[in-house]
Amino acid sequence: MGGDPEGSDMDSRSMKLLALTVATTLLAIPLIPSSVRTDDDPLPKDSPQHGQWETGAGEEGEPVGGQPPKGAEPSTSDFEYQLEYQAAFQTMLWSVPASAIYRFRAAAMESLNADDTTIIAYHHTASPRLEAVTANSSTPYITAYSDLQKGPIVLEVPAAGDEGRLYGQVVDAWQLTIADVGPGGGMDDGNGGKYLFTPPGYEGEIPEGYLHVASPNYRIGFALRSVVVEGMTRKDAVDYAHRLRLYYLKDAASPPEQRFINPDDMVYPTLPFFDERAFEDLHAIFSVEPVRSQDKLMMGLLAELGIEHGNADYDPDERTLEAMRQAAVDVWYALQYWLDHYPEEEHYWPDRHYISLLMTDENKTFTWEYEDRIDYVHRAAEYFWCTYMPKQLGDSPSTQYMMAMKDKDGRPLVAGETYKITIPKDMPVAQFWALTIYDRATHSFIYTESERTTISSYDYESVKKNEDGSVTLYVGPAPPEGLSSNWIDTRGKRPLPAIRFYGPTKAMNDKTFKLDDFELVK
């Protein structure tokens, strides 16, 4: 990491985005019909407040407070729209972790025809058809999404051994890890077993022999990967993953045949929406999930939009939909702005332009919850471009993710240009390294004719190497002559390069190793 920011820096970031919130509020004004408000007519003449700005607080014969200063006019006359816009903007920022993971679930049901006990298991590494934020294309994904409103659910995990190993995590509806799976940290510690997930308030008996996890929410998500062990193939790892079982506890005596889906050739559209559809997802989440004490203020704002806990009805009118749409658009631009203006302290190396994909809070966790506040602005920025974070980030993480935000001259990477980077022969990794290119707009893979998203150390024999054994890689809309093997197509999109260090060594973790910045190819 580039050093966890002190509280003052986080406050500075929050202030920047709050200032942007004010600016985006003004963006809503053009949506208000001109007949309602013009520059010469801040309020309709039949409004009881019309002309109030002719006097004001502190004027002769007036109280010191209790009203705006003389000449202060309202920015809008449609206050109902303004209230709904502000409610939509703030609740969307606040709910980014929950809405991001819910879209994985909804897309699985809608596009893959999955259900609550289906296991989605890729046979190959991901292509652009997996429309997901900062996914890797080095390891096939295994995932599932279950609803505990139907009762406790069981995940059977095979024991790790010479035939395979499974690693992963299970997250709740707020995308917080509630269980780790597999060797070296999982509840089963590689011995395999039956994980039992129970819903909020569950009072039933916990059968003997289960690894019990009491979920604080009803919807949970599973993310696992099957590792290719020495002497085995990727097909062996896929076959090993098919030993997983997922079923409801009520069916434990005779579990149904396990259903798997291989979406290799299917579009799996998990990216969040940034229009009025986002609030359909918020209704699906917050009408169902338990309300925590820290959620009540935002639940009050959601109520202004017709979204209430326990209320299945959702039928916003045209004005509300318009406010939701504009707020969702503005949230996207606000979060892009945040990432474009990240604090210098986030740099992993002070004299380079990389920041970690895993930006933590002050406690090196991913909740941003403190005794006196919830920093939901910084939290939104992190969950905007990353999913399935660990519970806590240690000083020597098993994987490091370096995101290239600017070139060597400190200029943001832009669309339509070609950039290059030289990867040294001896990278500080015990396993492998990988360069993956995402679209900066979506943080997901770019659809290209070749579908190539990644070049890694596994490709070392097929790329052209420099005399010292290093490799110069190119990112852009067209390959340099004779270097197609070393090129990832951006199709003219603004690139977001990610360099993953799998099994980073001490030199990477203590920052004695430094990676060169990307360089603009002129």
Side-chain angles (χ1 to χ4, degrees):
M1 293 293 291
D4 289 323
E6 298 297 327
S8 59
D9 295 324
M10 296 180 72
D11 291 342
S12 173
R13 283 196 296 278
S14 298
M15 288 300 292
K16 284 182 182 179
L17 196 48
L18 288 174
L20 186 65
T21 302
V22 174
T24 52
T25 298
L26 298 179
L27 293 176
I29 292 175
L31 295 176
I32 302 169
S34 59
S35 60
V36 175
R37 177 188 184 239
T38 67
D39 291 339
D40 299 325
D41 186 19
L43 286 178
K45 288 185 170 55
D46 60 356
S47 168
Q49 284 82 39
H50 188 276
Q52 180 66 33
W53 46 86
E54 299 300 335
T55 185
E59 296 297 309
E60 185 177 354
E62 298 290 344
V64 174
Q67 60 184 322
K70 183 177 180 179
E73 299 178 359
S75 63
T76 180
S77 59
D78 193 340
F79 295 103
E80 292 182 358
Y81 173 90
Q82 196 62 258
L83 176 60
E84 291 177 340
Y85 170 86
Q86 291 289 352
F89 187 96
Q90 297 299 338
T91 54
M92 205 172 159
L93 267 182
W94 161 76
S95 63
V96 167
S99 58
I101 198 64
Y102 178 79
R103 188 92 307 263
F104 275 85
R105 170 185 170 78
M109 308 301 165
E110 296 162 3
S111 299
L112 305 184
N113 195 31
D115 60 27
D116 290 298
T117 58
T118 301
I119 295 176
I120 301 164
Y122 283 85
H123 288 195
H124 298 89
T125 55
S127 76
R129 286 181 294 280
L130 173 57
E131 298 176 356
V133 296
T134 54
N136 84 69
S137 58
S138 301
T139 307
Y141 281 110
I142 307 162
T143 188
Y145 299 92
S146 300
D147 190 343
L148 302 181
Q149 292 181 95
K150 301 175 183 178
I153 203 162
V154 178
L155 174 70
E156 283 191 26
V157 178
D162 294 339
E163 295 182 358
R165 291 196 301 272
L166 281 163
Y167 296 89
Q169 65 191 121
V170 185
V171 299
D172 67 8
W174 274 99
Q175 212 179 141
L176 296 175
T177 299
I178 57 175
D180 290 308
V181 176
M187 292 177 67
D188 65 300
D189 198 23
N191 296 312
K194 298 179 180 180
Y195 286 74
L196 175 62
F197 298 90
T198 55
Y202 183 73
E203 297 180 352
E205 182 180 352
I206 305 301
E208 187 176 350
Y210 286 81
L211 301 168
H212 178 223
V213 181
S215 174
N217 302 111
Y218 291 109
R219 276 72 165 259
I220 58 175
F222 304 82
L224 305 166
R225 59 190 178 98
S226 183
V227 176
V228 179
V229 299
E230 187 176 357
M232 294 294 178
T233 65
R234 178 176 292 170
K235 182 181 182 303
D236 294 326
V238 171
D239 291 343
Y240 178 78
H242 280 68
R243 300 182 188 183
L244 287 164
R245 296 292 180 267
L246 185 63
Y247 52 85
Y248 281 101
L249 181 63
K250 63 183 177 60
D251 299 321
S254 181
E257 181 179 354
Q258 181 60 54
R259 180 175 178 237
F260 289 90
I261 292 177
N262 170 21
D264 280 349
D265 298 321
M266 304 166 71
V267 174
Y268 184 16
T270 75
L271 295 173
F273 296 129
F274 288 95
D275 55 32
E276 61 273 24
R277 292 173 296 173
F279 293 89
E280 296 176 18
D281 285 355
L282 295 194
H283 173 258
I285 298 165
F286 296 111
S287 63
V288 169
E289 298 296 349
V291 177
R292 306 168 301 176
S293 59
Q294 65 263 41
D295 299 334
K296 290 183 179 180
L297 173 61
M298 291 298 181
M299 290 300 295
L301 292 179
L302 283 177
E304 296 292 337
L305 305 174
I307 297 173
E308 298 177 307
H309 182 259
N311 187 352
D313 295 331
Y314 177 69
D315 187 23
D317 59 25
E318 287 301 316
R319 184 194 63 222
T320 305
L321 287 170
E322 191 174 47
M324 290 173 173
R325 181 182 184 87
Q326 188 63 54
V329 169
D330 291 345
V331 164
W332 184 88
Y333 278 100
L335 292 174
Q336 292 285 359
Y337 176 93
W338 195 100
L339 290 172
D340 279 335
H341 297 82
Y342 63 88
E344 295 293 309
E345 292 79 8
E346 289 289 353
H347 284 147
Y348 189 76
W349 299 284
D351 57 347
R352 300 290 191 274
H353 298 96
Y354 295 94
I355 66 176
S356 174
L357 179 67
L358 298 174
M359 298 182 291
T360 69
D361 60 22
E362 293 174 356
N363 301 315
K364 290 204 167 185
T365 67
F366 296 89
T367 68
W368 283 271
E369 294 184 12
Y370 306 105
E371 289 186 5
D372 60 344
R373 72 194 187 284
I374 298 174
D375 183 3
Y376 66 95
V377 172
H378 194 169
R379 183 179 71 182
E382 172 61 17
Y383 284 88
F384 183 50
W385 76 347
C386 188
T387 55
Y388 284 106
M389 277 70 88
K391 285 182 180 178
Q392 191 166 24
L393 191 67
D395 294 331
S396 300
S398 59
T399 309
Q400 291 267 32
Y401 310 87
M402 294 293 109
M403 315 303 287
M405 306 302 286
K406 298 176 182 178
D407 67 16
K408 73 180 184 67
D409 297 317
R411 295 170 300 201
L413 306 185
V414 296
E417 298 287 3
T418 297
Y419 297 90
K420 67 179 181 178
I421 183 173
T422 297
I423 305 293
K425 179 182 179 182
D426 297 316
M427 284 281 271
V429 291
Q431 298 174 28
F432 67 98
W433 59 263
L435 167 65
T436 302
I437 302 301
Y438 304 103
D439 182 349
R440 181 65 165 71
T442 63
H443 309 130
S444 64
F445 298 137
I446 300 170
Y447 280 103
T448 62
E449 185 176 349
S450 70
E451 293 194 347
R452 187 184 209 181
T453 64
T454 299
I455 297 175
S456 76
S457 49
Y458 290 134
D459 302 308
Y460 189 75
E461 296 305 319
S462 63
V463 298
K464 291 190 176 181
K465 291 167 279 295
N466 302 318
E467 289 185 2
D468 62 358
S470 65
V471 178
T472 300
L473 303 178
Y474 296 84
V475 175
E481 186 175 353
L483 289 169
S484 293
S485 62
N486 294 40
W487 167 70
I488 300 177
D489 189 3
T490 62
R491 224 185 76 230
K493 298 284 189 179
R494 183 184 179 191
L496 174 63
I499 302 180
R500 286 176 163 85
F501 296 73
Y502 289 91
T505 63
K506 183 176 183 294
M508 179 63 187
N509 290 330
D510 67 13
K511 304 181 185 179
T512 53
F513 166 84
K514 289 184 180 181
L515 184 67
D516 287 343
D517 277 320
F518 278 78
E519 181 179 349
L520 178 65
V521 177
K522 298 180 182 179

